[in-house]
Amino acid sequence: MSTIIYPSPISGLIHSRRLGLSLGINLQPGDGKTCTFDCIYCECGYNADHPTRSPRPSRQTVAEGLERALKRLCSEGKTIDVITFSGNGEPTGHPHFREIVDDTIRLRDHYCPKAKVSVLSNATFIDRPEVHEALMRVDNNILKLDTVNPDYIRIVDRPVSCRYDVNKIIEHLASFNGHVIIQTMFMKGRTDDGRDVDNTSDSFVTPWLKALRRIRPQEVMIYTIDRETPDRFLMKATHDELDSIRDRVAAEGIPCTASY
């Protein structure tokens, strides 16, 4: 059972497959997981297995923790590629997410102006104007779209809210007018109860490509399983499968990277 629970509010440094050397910001408590998805491949495990008993960190706590970390890195002569909002759950659900992004950009500009500010989000709150505004300000607005198939989403991403509507999500993704990076997990295998989760076939990829044409993101990041997962029978997509999907995205005129 996967149980990577990140400290709060600051974690790292972490070598990210997609972003480089990253200093993490976790806007969830450091004693468990709170997320609007409950993905069967999440390295933090299932929501129910790691209930939190602490509040989210305050805006002030985040800013103070980030400044301490950046000062320490500067004193050690270390440089980072990115400051990344991720951690033990959906970062944009924090009630002061917009203000925390403002603080982060200010501190980045002062201590490490070459670093990018990135957000890894499952896109469940992008309909909120304050979240949309904040994401427009970060360098890398990385939003998840694993598929456009509602049944697959219920099996794999498992949104906590019954109101999740992937078609509405796609329209909100398009509203960023290109200032968005789409991140998609491709994998194979089955769930613990035997349901197939292979989304590498044409029946999944073709409608996903249609959604990308609607969204017109600046980039697409596709990847596969890299760490232990809560469901035991999930499998990595192959290099050839990811390369084929990457090439189909590139043929649409959209830059695409594949992480194996």
Side-chain angles (χ1 to χ4, degrees), residues 65-206:
L66 179 58
E67 185 162 27
R68 282 195 301 271
L70 293 176
K71 282 183 177 179
R72 184 184 71 250
L73 291 171
C74 287
S75 69
E76 296 172 352
K78 294 180 179 178
T79 58
I80 58 175
D81 299 306
V82 63
I83 300 169
T84 307
F85 287 85
S86 56
N88 307 332
E90 176 53 37
T92 63
H94 194 290
H96 299 292
F97 176 71
R98 177 173 56 184
E99 294 85 357
I100 292 171
V101 166
D102 289 343
D103 295 338
T104 300
I105 292 171
R106 173 177 55 81
L107 291 168
R108 182 278 308 272
D109 290 348
H110 182 75
Y111 290 102
C112 53
K114 293 184 178 180
K116 304 292 187 182
V117 175
S118 299
V119 176
L120 299 178
S121 168
N122 63 26
T124 48
F125 292 124
I126 59 173
D127 61 326
R128 297 180 177 181
E130 67 275 16
V131 171
H132 187 281
E133 178 186 335
L135 292 175
M136 287 296 292
R137 297 198 61 204
V138 303
D139 300 291
N140 297 320
N141 173 29
I142 305 172
L143 302 179
K144 174 170 289 298
L145 184 66
D146 284 340
T147 181
V148 300
N149 184 307
D151 292 332
Y152 189 91
I153 290 168
R154 284 191 291 270
I155 293 170
V156 173
D157 294 324
R158 306 199 312 172
V160 172
S161 172
C162 62
R163 296 191 300 272
Y164 182 89
D165 183 335
V166 69
N167 292 312
K168 290 182 179 178
I169 292 293
I170 290 167
E171 290 307 308
H172 287 301
L173 291 169
S175 74
F176 286 100
N177 296 318
H179 183 67
V180 59
I181 298 170
I182 297 299
Q183 178 178 255
T184 301
M185 166 70 82
F186 286 100
M187 61 182 181
K188 305 174 77 171
R190 58 186 176 86
T191 63
D192 285 349
D193 58 3
R195 289 177 290 181
D196 180 50
V197 296
D198 185 347
N199 65 335
T200 65
S201 66
D202 188 65
S203 63
F204 283 94
V205 174
T206 295

Side-chain angles (χ1 to χ4, degrees), residues 14-66:
I14 297 171
H15 287 276
S16 166
R17 287 184 292 169
R18 296 174 293 280
L19 301 174
L21 189 61
S22 172
L23 182 67
I25 299 180
N26 175 22
L27 298 186
Q28 303 299 336
D31 62 353
K33 181 192 175 196
T34 302
C35 194
T36 52
F37 274 8
D38 198 15
C39 299
I40 64 174
Y41 59 76
C42 181
E43 65 187 15
C44 297
Y46 292 129
N47 292 341
D49 291 336
H50 308 288
T52 61
R53 296 175 177 83
S54 304
R56 291 184 174 110
S58 68
R59 173 187 178 182
Q60 180 178 352
T61 298
V62 176
E64 290 174 350
L66 179 58

Side-chain angles (χ1 to χ4, degrees), residues 231-248:
D231 263 32
R232 297 165 293 168
F233 303 110
L234 307 181
M235 299 168 56
K236 294 171 72 76
T238 68
H239 283 215
D240 287 345
E241 287 165 337
L242 288 180
D243 287 347
S244 175
I245 296 168
R246 178 201 61 199
D247 292 346
R248 292 183 67 178

Side-chain angles (χ1 to χ4, degrees), residues 210-250:
K210 181 180 179 181
L212 294 183
R213 288 194 289 271
R214 172 72 184 96
I215 298 164
R216 300 309 301 179
Q218 68 190 66
E219 183 182 347
V220 173
M221 295 177 173
I222 63 173
Y223 66 121
T224 193
I225 295 166
D226 186 48
R227 296 172 181 153
E228 186 182 3
T229 59
D231 263 32
R232 297 165 293 168
F233 303 110
L234 307 181
M235 299 168 56
K236 294 171 72 76
T238 68
H239 283 215
D240 287 345
E241 287 165 337
L242 288 180
D243 287 347
S244 175
I245 296 168
R246 178 201 61 199
D247 292 346
R248 292 183 67 178
V249 176

